[in-house]
Amino acid sequence: MTEQLIIFDTTLRDGEQSPGASMTREEKVRIAKQLERMRVNIIEAGFPAASQGDFDAVKAVANVIQDSTVCALARALEKDIVRAGEAIQGAHAGRIHTFIATSPIHMEKKLRMTPAQVLEHAVKAVKWARQYTDDVEFSPEDAGRSDPDFLCRVLEAVIDAGAATLNIPDTVGYNLPEQFGALIHTLRERVPNADKAVFSVHCHNDLGLAVANSLSAVLNGARQVECTINGLGERAGNAALEEIVMTVRTRQDIFTCDSGIDTTQIVPASRLVSGVTGFAVQPNKAIVGANAFAHESGIHQDGVLKSRETYEIMRAEDVGWSANKMVLGKHSGRNAFRTRLAELGIELPSEEALNSAFARFKGLADKKHEIFDEDLHALVSDEAAAHEPEHYKLVSLRVCSETGEIPHAAVVVAESGVERAAESDGGGPVDAAFKAIEALVDSGAELQLYSVNNITSGTDAQGEVTVRLAKGGRIVNGQGADTDIVIASVKAYLHGLNRLHSKLERAHPQV
Ligand code: KIV
Ligand code: ZN
């Protein structure tokens, strides 16, 4: 009989630790809903002790998710565990994930603790966490570089203390597949009470081996994999959820377990995460890259036309590529619009928000006759951005771009309601528009990232632009979508400036 492979998604926690990938509470809730739709078993929503914002985001996710377990991360410290416990209080099913490092280098140099002290903290942490929930996960951080004898002692003790899941992280992505699989095998054999817990793995991708290491662990008995959409995560990232899920599913001749993931939700999830974080997906990325199912060579095309199995081991529609269907058009009414949003799991906070989103939808349908699900996601992101505090608001934009001429932009921006105008030349129309805005606002922000994604195919597709701005140690992402990519870029830039302004205001309120 096929066993269950538990999918633990940490896009909202480890994924968010990617520099520049921080997400707002609303963005986390939107992604969590998509993960739930995909039937992810556990959603790690954040690290509540890290900040009030993270606490609020975990709480918000815990309060809306019904079908997945919502997990909060905590160091093996009482204050962290209290915050984690409070954040998941409203969850239908809540888990606390507590961790402490067990490798010699981490214990000695980072924690400055002896192995005996680490073991004591680990046990205490699990017991504290059990006061909030029966579902407690323990991770010996940097397990991939820890002494297996010591790991066995720690794991035995935390199971006795009440941990139901033992997560073995290759924190620095140092292990090789055979070695990591053997570690899982050894731990399962040598920990006397190993049968009382589920073994999990959490692999980082520093050597590009996160997925291979995770799968090797699964072949050696791990039954939970921690992973992220698009492989997002600290440094080179975590194991990519889509690659784990599709490998196990495609190679059922090898694996004795399978996940219950609705794989048709994979591409929409990938697009959502990429849009929110501004981390573009490389075209040749497995499963979710734009070229993942494209056949260029004549020999391949001929083979696929005769029998698709000649060169395709998976079907594009099984991972959600066919989701790109026309769903609404110019003549669709408010009810059809509301129904489709509900089918996509998008809830707008009020009738007023629905009316305003519907007005935007009509405007978009005038410019672009076929509206796809992806357009609706972008429209709702735009709508959410429009409801964030707007210190700067775009009033008008005019750009000139002509062969042989220097691109030029003229903008009118309202700052706290007062309209001001500026003009600038630039290397291109977007550059000119950003320079004109800077001539007005003089933000001093550094533009760290500018990325454009076409939301659907065709030249009338909406462009979704993400900009990343940094100032005074604060980093924000701004997003904008429009069928005109210069307008989308300016919306994204102003959205970023507004977020930066709100953050700086909160830190140093003006008297
Ligand atoms: O990489 C790591 O070790 C982690 C732990 C918190 C599980 O992210
Ligand atoms: Zn990690």
Side-chain angles (χ1 to χ4, degrees):
M1 211 182 73
T2 310
E3 290 175 66
Q4 160 92 45
L5 178 63
I6 300 166
I7 298 297
F8 176 115
D9 181 280
T10 182
T11 307
L12 303 181
R13 197 279 296 172
D14 215 323
E16 202 200 21
Q17 284 174 219
S18 240
S22 72
M23 303 167 208
T24 63
R25 183 177 54 192
E26 288 68 31
E27 287 166 343
K28 281 198 173 189
V29 167
R30 205 135 48 84
I31 292 175
K33 285 186 178 169
Q34 176 61 23
L35 296 174
E36 182 181 43
R37 207 169 301 129
M38 206 161 78
R39 297 203 288 266
V40 158
N41 304 95
I42 297 133
I43 299 171
E44 188 166 52
F47 184 4
S51 69
Q52 184 63 39
D54 224 3
F55 177 89
D56 293 340
V58 175
K59 201 171 158 76
V61 170
N63 288 343
V64 298
I65 295 300
Q66 293 291 313
D67 300 334
S68 310
T69 295
V70 176
C71 177
L73 183 72
R75 287 169 297 181
L77 297 173
E78 192 171 8
K79 62 177 178 130
D80 275 33
I81 290 166
V82 170
R83 289 299 271 167
E86 286 170 358
I88 58 159
Q89 225 163 36
H92 199 65
R95 172 180 292 192
I96 295 179
H97 174 193
T98 184
F99 71 99
I100 189 164
T102 50
S103 64
I105 182 165
H106 276 226
M107 289 191 289
E108 192 190 320
K109 307 270 192 238
K110 182 182 83 172
L111 299 175
R112 305 217 159 103
M113 285 165 93
T114 63
Q117 287 171 322
V118 165
L119 193 144
E120 191 190 328
H121 265 72
V123 168
K124 273 193 185 152
V126 170
K127 289 186 176 161
W128 284 322
R130 280 295 301 258
Q131 292 176 4
Y132 293 92
T133 170
D134 290 344
D135 190 352
V136 174
E137 170 172 329
F138 173 78
S139 289
E141 191 191 5
D142 204 15
R145 292 189 298 170
S146 299
D147 168 22
D149 289 341
F150 180 54
L151 272 183
C152 286
R153 284 201 285 132
V154 173
L155 296 179
E156 181 183 357
V158 294
I159 296 174
D160 282 343
T165 303
L166 304 177
N167 178 49
I168 311 302
D170 182 19
T171 303
V172 292
Y174 180 69
N175 281 231
L176 301 182
E178 213 180 19
Q179 177 191 17
F180 196 63
L183 174 66
I184 301 302
H185 185 83
T186 304
L187 297 175
R188 290 186 61 234
E189 289 256 293
R190 289 188 33 206
V191 173
N193 44 4
D195 60 325
K196 298 199 171 55
V198 173
F199 273 76
S200 165
V201 286
H202 175 113
C203 296
H204 278 273
N205 205 31
D206 299 66
L207 293 172
L209 293 171
V211 169
N213 285 343
S214 305
L215 293 172
S216 174
V218 172
L219 290 173
N220 281 281
R223 284 296 173 265
Q224 175 179 293
V225 175
E226 301 201 353
C227 43
T228 57
I229 302 292
N230 300 337
L232 195 70
E234 184 92 47
R235 305 182 309 280
N238 289 67
L241 177 147
E242 59 277 9
E243 296 177 23
I244 300 282
V245 166
M246 290 314 291
T247 304
V248 172
R249 180 178 151 152
T250 306
R251 297 308 305 269
Q252 281 290 298
D253 54 328
I254 304 280
F255 290 92
T256 55
C257 56
D258 200 4
S259 75
I261 292 291
D262 175 356
T263 58
T264 62
Q265 294 298 329
I266 286 179
V267 169
S270 164
R271 292 199 156 184
L272 180 60
V273 170
S274 163
V276 164
T277 58
F279 281 54
V281 174
Q282 77 198 51
N284 59 331
K285 164 83 180 62
I287 323 289
V288 294
N291 290 351
F293 292 88
H295 297 278
E296 180 65 24
S297 106
I299 297 174
H300 286 206
Q301 284 172 354
D302 180 54
V304 169
L305 286 173
K306 286 177 176 146
S307 164
R308 65 193 290 173
E309 288 81 22
T310 50
Y311 286 100
E312 278 188 6
I313 57 167
M314 296 167 276
R315 297 186 316 166
E317 53 270 38
D318 289 349
V319 297
W321 277 107
S322 58
N324 206 343
K325 284 194 237 100
M326 206 263 275
V327 288
L328 294 174
K330 197 177 153 97
H331 301 296
S332 305
R334 200 166 163 282
N335 257 342
F337 177 68
R338 184 208 293 267
T339 307
R340 190 61 200 153
L341 289 187
E343 282 165 4
L344 291 173
I346 299 171
E347 285 155 33
L348 292 173
S350 60
E351 275 302 295
E352 208 187 347
L354 179 74
N355 290 342
S356 134
F358 184 62
R360 281 167 182 254
F361 159 73
K362 281 290 183 185
L364 180 63
D366 271 340
K367 290 192 253 173
K368 180 179 188 293
H369 300 296
E370 299 172 318
I371 306 288
F372 302 97
D373 286 345
E374 289 82 351
D375 289 313
L376 295 180
H377 276 295
L379 191 123
V380 171
S381 303
D382 238 28
E383 182 63 23
H387 288 280
E388 286 179 30
E390 273 191 311
H391 183 71
Y392 304 111
K393 199 174 163 63
L394 177 66
V395 178
S396 68
L397 168 71
R398 188 166 48 81
V399 284
C400 300
S401 184
E402 196 180 336
T403 42
E405 296 295 326
I406 296 175
H408 187 81
V411 289
V412 179
V413 169
E415 182 176 355
S416 301
V418 181
E419 289 187 14
R420 289 162 62 215
E423 304 202 7
S424 177
D425 289 341
V430 173
D431 185 47
F434 285 11
K435 283 187 170 133
I437 294 172
E438 276 303 318
L440 283 177
V441 306
D442 192 20
S443 73
E446 180 199 349
L447 179 66
Q448 292 193 331
L449 175 135
Y450 169 75
S451 95
V452 189
N453 257 325
N454 54 328
I455 294 175
T456 54
S457 53
T459 48
D460 69 346
Q462 287 194 90
E464 190 172 44
V465 175
T466 304
V467 299
R468 184 172 308 138
L469 301 175
K471 186 177 177 186
R474 289 179 174 75
I475 299 180
V476 294
N477 283 340
Q479 278 109 24
D482 202 283
T483 47
D484 179 323
I485 59 161
V486 185
I487 295 178
S489 303
V490 165
K491 280 185 183 175
Y493 196 73
L494 289 174
H495 183 219
L497 287 178
N498 281 325
R499 283 188 163 177
L500 205 51
H501 184 267
S502 306
K503 276 198 170 187
L504 294 170
E505 268 287 283
R506 274 201 301 273
H508 309 286
Q510 279 174 7
V511 193

